[in-house]
Amino acid sequence: AAELEYESVLCVKPDVNVYRIPPRTSNRGYRASDWKLDHPDWTGRLRVTSKGKTAYIKLEDKVSGELFAQAPIDQYPGIAVETVADSSRYFVIRIQDGTGRSAFIGIGFTDRGDAFDFNVSLQDHFKWVKQETEISKESQEADTRPKLDLGFKEGQTIKLNIGNMTSKKAGAAKPRVSGSGGLSLLPPPPGGKTAVPPIPPPSSTAIANHVTPPPVQKSSNASSADILLDLDAPAAASKAPVSATTDLWGDFSTASSAVPNQAPQQSNWVQF
């Protein structure tokens, strides 16, 4: 895993001053006013890189890029990088060589903004390291937890009760055919026959006009002439009301003629 890690650059500052600092005699912290700030011991370029979870402060030559000193940082804030008590532009770092020897030196920036960028780059890197550690810890705890077996056992079944779905026996509702006038009529049932409307009975007028002749008996001695006379009798009787209707209109005419003519009244004016 270490071979797959690559080095990324977090911050680059072109001007940085390096100072030899006296050993700390108390626990009150470092003070930049105790250094010879007007006469730095070395001046060059500062570059902050990261490889994996470790950050590195590298002091390099401005022209050739040769490495002057390097300070690996495993924790921030910590003993590898400390701030001074009297300024925000100066820091104390612990440099190490390949043999394991270490020393504490002081670095300072001319611009206060460069010191701010240097501090923020280290804070962001170790904030990311903290998040990665928590994520890996949670994943390890999840692997150690007993896994739930949510599968069906042999022969185990479940039953779902869905109230909105209709059963197969009920079938789908039959569509309604809309007729005239906004009324909906049901279609005829399958395989059935349409009922034929009954024939209305003949009216009484038609029955009255239709005369069924009586059956002729072969044993009767009546002649055919007598039968014809019997058939003409109802026809003559039916003609009698017609004359009555004509007499009614005659009564109206006689009544109007019977009214005496009134004498015309004189239109004489009477003076009072």
Coordinates of all heavy atoms in Angstrom, one line a residue, residues 147-153 156 158:
K147 N -24.0 -10.8 10.7 CA -24.8 -10.4 9.6 C -26.2 -11.1 9.8 O -26.3 -12.2 10.2 CB -24.2 -10.9 8.3 CG -22.9 -10.2 8.0 CD -22.3 -10.6 6.7 CE -21.0 -9.9 6.4 NZ -20.4 -10.4 5.1
L148 N -27.2 -10.3 9.4 CA -28.6 -10.8 9.5 C -28.9 -11.7 8.3 O -28.6 -11.3 7.2 CB -29.5 -9.6 9.6 CG -29.4 -8.7 10.8 CD1 -30.4 -7.5 10.7 CD2 -29.7 -9.5 12.1
D149 N -29.5 -12.8 8.6 CA -29.9 -13.7 7.5 C -31.4 -13.5 7.2 O -32.3 -13.9 8.0 CB -29.7 -15.2 8.0 CG -30.0 -16.2 6.8 OD1 -30.2 -15.7 5.7 OD2 -30.0 -17.4 7.1
L150 N -31.6 -12.7 6.2 CA -33.0 -12.3 5.8 C -33.6 -13.2 4.7 O -34.6 -12.9 4.2 CB -33.0 -10.9 5.3 CG -32.5 -9.8 6.3 CD1 -32.6 -8.5 5.7 CD2 -33.4 -9.9 7.6
G151 N -32.9 -14.3 4.4 CA -33.4 -15.2 3.3 C -34.5 -16.1 3.9 O -34.7 -16.3 5.1
F152 N -35.3 -16.7 2.9 CA -36.3 -17.6 3.3 C -35.8 -19.0 3.7 O -34.9 -19.5 3.0 CB -37.3 -17.8 2.2 CG -38.2 -16.6 1.9 CD1 -37.9 -15.7 0.9 CD2 -39.3 -16.3 2.7 CE1 -38.6 -14.6 0.7 CE2 -40.0 -15.2 2.5 CZ -39.7 -14.3 1.5
K153 N -36.3 -19.5 4.7 CA -35.9 -20.9 5.1 C -36.7 -21.9 4.1 O -37.6 -21.5 3.4 CB -36.3 -21.2 6.5 CG -35.7 -20.2 7.5 CD -34.2 -20.3 7.5 CE -33.6 -19.5 8.6 NZ -33.8 -18.0 8.4
Q156 N -40.6 -22.0 3.8 CA -41.2 -20.9 4.4 C -41.9 -20.0 3.3 O -41.3 -19.8 2.2 CB -40.2 -20.0 5.2 CG -40.7 -18.8 5.9 CD -39.7 -18.1 6.6 OE1 -38.5 -18.4 6.5 NE2 -40.0 -17.0 7.3
I158 N -44.7 -16.5 2.5 CA -45.3 -15.3 3.0 C -46.6 -15.1 2.2 O -46.8 -15.6 1.1 CB -44.4 -14.1 2.8 CG1 -44.0 -13.8 1.3 CG2 -43.1 -14.2 3.6 CD1 -43.2 -12.6 1.1

